[in-house]
Amino acid sequence: MEQHITSGSVVTAVGSIESVKIRLASASSGSDPEYIERIGKFEIVSLVGTMEYNEKEDTAYGHFHISIADVNGGVIGGHLMDGCKVFTTVEVVIMQVPNVQNTRVLDATSGYKELKVEVIQAFL
C-alpha cells in the first residue's frame, strides 16, 4: 500500500507460510467454526484479492482470499486474516488499474464494507 495504489488486484502469488489464520464463509452461521488457524509448513496455491488506497481519507485496505496446501497436499482456503507468517518467501504480483478509485461502502444487507469502483479519469 506504500505505493498508494488507488485500485489494484493480486494477479498471482507463490511462496510458503508457516502460520495462517483464515475466516471461513460459514463464519456468520453460528454453529460452524469462524476461523481456521494452523501452524506448520504450507505452500500458497492461490492468492487473489483487491486493494485500494484512499488519498482523501489516507486509508489503505486489502481484501484477500488464500488457498494453501499442507505437507500431505490437503488444501484449505478462505478470507485471509492478519497474523500469517512467511516461511521462506512470498512473491506477490500486483496489477494496478489506472484511472480508477476503489472504495468501500457499508452494505446494509451483508453488514460488510463492499467494493465500490469509481472512474476518476476517463480512459484514453
Side-chain angles (χ1 to χ4, degrees), residues 75-121:
V75 176
I76 59 171
H79 179 92
L80 183 63
M81 303 299 293
D82 289 342
C84 295
K85 186 175 179 185
V86 173
F87 173 52
T88 55
T89 187
V90 174
E91 303 168 5
V92 181
V93 177
I94 299 169
M95 178 181 69
Q96 184 170 359
V97 181
N99 307 317
V100 171
Q101 173 70 65
N102 286 353
T103 57
R104 296 280 159 178
V105 178
L106 184 62
D107 181 278
T109 304
S110 72
Y112 291 102
K113 287 187 174 183
E114 303 292 352
L115 180 66
K116 180 180 178 185
V117 180
E118 298 178 68
V119 174
I120 55 176
Q121 181 179 346

